[in-house]
Amino acid sequence: MASPPLVVAAAAAAAGAGSGGEGSSGSEETGTTASPDRDLAALFEQAAERLPALLPAASKEQLLYLYARYKQVKFGTCNTPKPSFFDFEGKQKWEAWKALGDISPHQAMQEYIATVKKMDPSWNPQVGNMKILFSKQNQHLCLCKASDGSSSHRC
């Protein structure tokens, strides 16, 4: 079976479709203090929600890059069989995900968020007491306390 077109797959991945019960139990939400990892995960979800609006302007390379990182975050290291030779798009998506090897979900989330921010510089997400800053000079992503968003801030 051929895989869905890349744009459809990227939008479905960003919307969480077909992710197979990735919801978490409500018991984790009882704490009053958010951890940086939870804030990063929330920023990642915001970036995934932002992606469908960016699809018309996204290049195929950007979509493959984002697709692979989304899959790495949601499913971990690629352990699925390589698609058939005739499934060209499925093979490209698989190769992009497989090429990530065993990078951590944390790193994949940071790269995903940074790419969405690069694609939409006006996107300014904020979660809890954290917000995202993106250095255009060195393409560096920084999660900082919301009160520390001055122009003199150095990540």
Side-chain angles (χ1 to χ4, degrees), residues 85-127:
F85 175 79
F86 298 104
D87 183 1
F88 183 68
E89 197 164 289
K91 202 169 70 153
Q92 284 185 315
K93 294 188 303 186
W94 182 88
E95 287 170 349
W97 182 19
K98 188 75 170 176
L100 295 180
D102 61 355
I103 72 165
S104 71
H106 184 87
Q107 181 180 348
M109 279 191 265
Q110 287 183 320
E111 292 174 358
Y112 188 99
I113 294 164
T115 301
V116 170
K117 180 67 176 167
K118 261 197 284 191
M119 291 170 68
D120 182 5
S122 67
W123 179 61
N124 291 312
Q126 184 171 328
V127 174

Side-chain angles (χ1 to χ4, degrees), residues 2-146:
S3 55
L6 186 57
V7 172
V8 173
S19 53
E22 292 149 10
S24 62
S25 68
S27 62
E28 294 177 12
E29 302 299 320
T30 58
T32 56
T33 326
S35 71
D37 286 341
R38 207 175 284 176
D39 287 343
L40 181 63
L43 285 171
F44 170 76
E45 294 300 331
Q46 286 184 24
E49 290 171 9
R50 182 72 187 119
L51 182 60
L54 304 175
L55 289 177
S59 70
K60 190 170 187 174
E61 290 78 23
Q62 287 172 318
L63 292 175
L64 282 170
Y65 184 90
L66 291 168
Y67 174 85
R69 277 138 189 88
Y70 187 90
K71 293 287 274 188
Q72 192 79 5
V73 169
K74 295 296 183 175
F75 301 104
T77 303
C78 179
N79 61 358
T80 60
K82 188 174 185 175
S84 131
F85 175 79
F86 298 104
D87 183 1
F88 183 68
E89 197 164 289
K91 202 169 70 153
Q92 284 185 315
K93 294 188 303 186
W94 182 88
E95 287 170 349
W97 182 19
K98 188 75 170 176
L100 295 180
D102 61 355
I103 72 165
S104 71
H106 184 87
Q107 181 180 348
M109 279 191 265
Q110 287 183 320
E111 292 174 358
Y112 188 99
I113 294 164
T115 301
V116 170
K117 180 67 176 167
K118 261 197 284 191
M119 291 170 68
D120 182 5
S122 67
W123 179 61
N124 291 312
Q126 184 171 328
V127 174
N129 67 345
M130 302 293 284
K131 75 179 200 176
I132 184 173
L133 296 176
F134 185 73
S135 166
K136 289 182 182 177
Q137 284 180 323
N138 59 6
Q139 306 296 303
H140 177 75
L141 175 71
C142 179
L143 299 177
C144 307
K145 291 187 189 260

